[in-house]
């Protein structure tokens, strides 16, 4: 694979850096989301910062301490903290306490279902609450690494050491263990509900085809994969962890088994976060040197959104229509781009 460094001041790459509205949040950032017309940047400590189209910033305290996990459905953000609380934040800026761990343990992971159900984990225990139904909990063999709801039905995937557990909380004796040696840290279902993929402590992904639980080994990364994003329609899974955006093909019934991934937007810096466009075959990629690129999946064409020379990009998000892109680095310096 040849190395390539974009030249922002040459004709070799289109630049839209002059159209970015700068944002200085003054706090560490771990993720970004959109609630209505405003971008919401989740801080590492206590606060979420709303940023409107004019670049005006409103900070809202959501936890008494560190924010350890966050998930959003575009209507609200669910967050877990080291204060043992699970809270939600809506587009109006209202904070609601959803749950408190009885032992005040850290809330390591959260997940949000399209129908409003949510899940959280503390230690080895994963808990689901759906509507007005009572909370239901499941203890897995080791500390929960990540949570994800299936796109159809109330089914929760729980990543942990030596595999993942699939759980229907509304059904008795419904936990199914999918084994694979190693520490599994993050988890996602494919949009068509046919595949499950986990990120691992080692520099690899692992997956299962859910029809027959056949293994899918996705290796070759120089670093740990910390960010995954499904392309529009779920045909590809874009990932961080290398000096290119690695996109695994999932259009066929076999997923990526026996296929090579696409390697897009190579730089002399590692990809730190990825976010696929909600409607088109485009993605945004943030790098360890602060660069942000938009990339077309079809041919790898690039547009420069932000030049390098800053801390790693930590957060990327598209609004629901795909007309706004929000980004920020680890120190909270970022911007909004209207397309």
């Amino acid at each position: 694979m040849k190395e390539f460094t974009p030249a922002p001041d040459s004709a070799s790459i289109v630049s839209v850096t002059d159209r970015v509205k700068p944002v200085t949040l003054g706090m560490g950032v771990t993720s970004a989301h959109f609630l209505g017309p405003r971008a919401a940047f989740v801080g590492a400590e206590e606060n979420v910062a709303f940023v409107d189209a004019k670049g005006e910033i409103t900070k809202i305290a959501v936890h008494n301490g560190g924010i350890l996990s966050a998930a959003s459905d575009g209507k609200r953000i669910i967050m877990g903290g080291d204060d043992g609380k699970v809270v939600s934040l809506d587009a109006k800026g209202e904070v609601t306490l959803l749950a408190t761990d009885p032992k005040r343990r850290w809330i390591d992971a959260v997940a949000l279902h399209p129908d409003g159900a949510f899940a959280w984990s503390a230690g080895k225990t994963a808990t689901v609450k759906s509507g007005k139904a009572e909370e239901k909990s499941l203890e897995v063999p080791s500390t929960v690494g990540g949570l994800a709801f299936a796109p159809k039905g109330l089914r929760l995937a729980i990543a942990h050491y030596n595999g993942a557990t699939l759980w229907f909380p509304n059904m008795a004796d419904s936990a199914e263990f999918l084994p694979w040696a190693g520490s599994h840290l993050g988890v996602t279902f494919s949009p068509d509900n046919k595949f499950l993929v986990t990120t691992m402590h080692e520099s690899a992904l692992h997956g299962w085809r859910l029809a027959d639980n056949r293994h899918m080994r996705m290796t070759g990364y120089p670093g740990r994969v910390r960010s995954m994003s499904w392309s529009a329609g779920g045909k590809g899974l874009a990932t961080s962890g290398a000096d290119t955006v690695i996109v695994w093909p999932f259009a066929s019934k076999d997923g990526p088994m026996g296929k090579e991934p696409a390697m897009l937007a190579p730089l002399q810096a590692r990809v730190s976060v990825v976010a696929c466009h909600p409607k088109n075959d485009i993605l945004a990629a943030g790098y360890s040197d602060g660069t942000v690129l938009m990339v077309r999946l079809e041919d790898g064409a690039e547009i420069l959104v932000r030049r390098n020379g800053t801390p790693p990009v930590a957060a990327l998000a598209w609004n629901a229509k795909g007309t706004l892109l929000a980004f920020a680095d680890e120190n909270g310096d970022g911007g909004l781009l209207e397309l």
Side-chain angles (χ1 to χ4, degrees):
M1 181 180 64
K2 66 179 182 179
E3 293 184 346
F4 171 76
T5 303
D9 298 319
S10 75
S12 63
I13 182 169
V14 177
S15 174
V16 293
T17 56
D18 58 340
R19 291 171 50 188
V20 173
K21 185 177 294 295
V23 173
T24 303
L25 300 171
M27 65 180 195
V29 170
T30 58
S31 65
H33 313 271
F34 272 91
L35 295 179
R38 295 194 291 178
F41 294 93
V42 177
E45 299 284 341
E46 298 182 359
N47 296 316
V48 173
F50 277 119
V51 181
D52 64 19
K54 297 180 181 179
E56 296 182 358
I57 301 169
T58 303
K59 291 185 179 179
I60 298 172
V62 294
H63 280 284
N64 294 318
I67 304 172
L68 306 179
S69 50
S72 179
D73 60 0
K75 299 176 182 178
R76 59 178 177 164
I77 305 172
I78 303 289
M79 290 163 283
D82 65 7
D83 56 3
K85 295 179 180 180
V86 182
V87 304
S88 72
L89 175 68
D90 65 17
K92 296 179 180 179
E94 295 179 355
V95 180
T96 303
L97 176 64
L98 299 178
T100 302
D101 184 77
K103 299 178 182 178
R104 297 283 178 167
R105 293 175 296 177
W106 290 6
I107 308 300
D108 300 307
V110 293
L112 191 52
H113 193 282
D115 71 1
F118 58 95
W120 69 95
S121 71
K124 299 179 182 179
T125 305
T127 303
V128 171
K129 185 173 177 59
S130 177
K132 297 181 180 179
E134 64 182 32
E135 297 175 4
K136 296 185 178 181
S137 297
L138 178 72
E139 186 166 308
V140 293
S142 58
T143 301
V144 174
L147 300 171
F149 279 108
K152 298 178 182 178
L154 191 63
R155 191 184 200 188
L156 184 70
I158 307 166
H160 50 80
Y161 190 73
N162 282 343
T165 296
L166 296 178
W167 177 40
F168 285 100
N170 291 337
M171 297 173 60
D173 300 324
S174 64
E176 177 186 7
F177 176 54
L178 303 177
W180 186 262
S183 181
H184 300 257
L185 301 177
V187 61
T188 181
F189 283 91
S190 62
D192 61 9
N193 213 27
K194 294 180 179 179
F195 304 96
L196 187 75
V197 179
T198 60
T199 60
M200 301 190 67
H201 181 75
E202 62 183 278
S203 301
L205 301 179
H206 193 76
W208 294 265
R209 185 172 61 185
L210 295 178
D212 55 9
N213 292 349
R214 185 175 174 185
H215 293 285
M216 302 183 300
R217 189 78 170 133
M218 291 167 274
T219 60
Y221 292 90
R224 188 190 301 176
V225 179
R226 300 178 186 273
S227 178
M228 300 184 289
S229 182
W230 291 97
S231 67
K235 295 179 181 179
L237 179 64
T239 63
S240 67
D243 58 2
T244 71
V245 180
I246 305 296
V247 185
W248 294 95
F250 277 85
S252 74
K253 65 180 179 64
D254 294 326
M257 290 186 287
K259 301 179 180 68
E260 291 293 326
M263 295 184 288
L264 306 177
L267 274 185
Q268 291 178 336
R270 190 161 293 177
V271 179
S272 55
V273 61
V274 290
C276 289
H277 192 279
K279 298 181 182 297
N280 300 319
D281 285 337
I282 298 168
L283 62 82
Y287 292 78
S288 60
D289 66 354
T291 301
V292 176
L293 296 175
M294 286 190 295
V295 186
R296 191 163 57 196
L297 292 174
E298 180 183 3
D299 57 6
E302 304 165 17
I303 295 177
L304 182 69
V305 177
R306 186 196 204 202
R307 291 181 172 87
N308 60 8
T310 70
V313 179
L316 286 171
W318 298 93
N319 68 347
K321 295 181 179 179
T323 56
L324 283 170
L325 175 65
F327 62 88
D329 62 28
E330 291 180 349
N331 289 349
D333 292 324
L336 293 175
L337 174 64
E338 184 174 358
L339 301 177

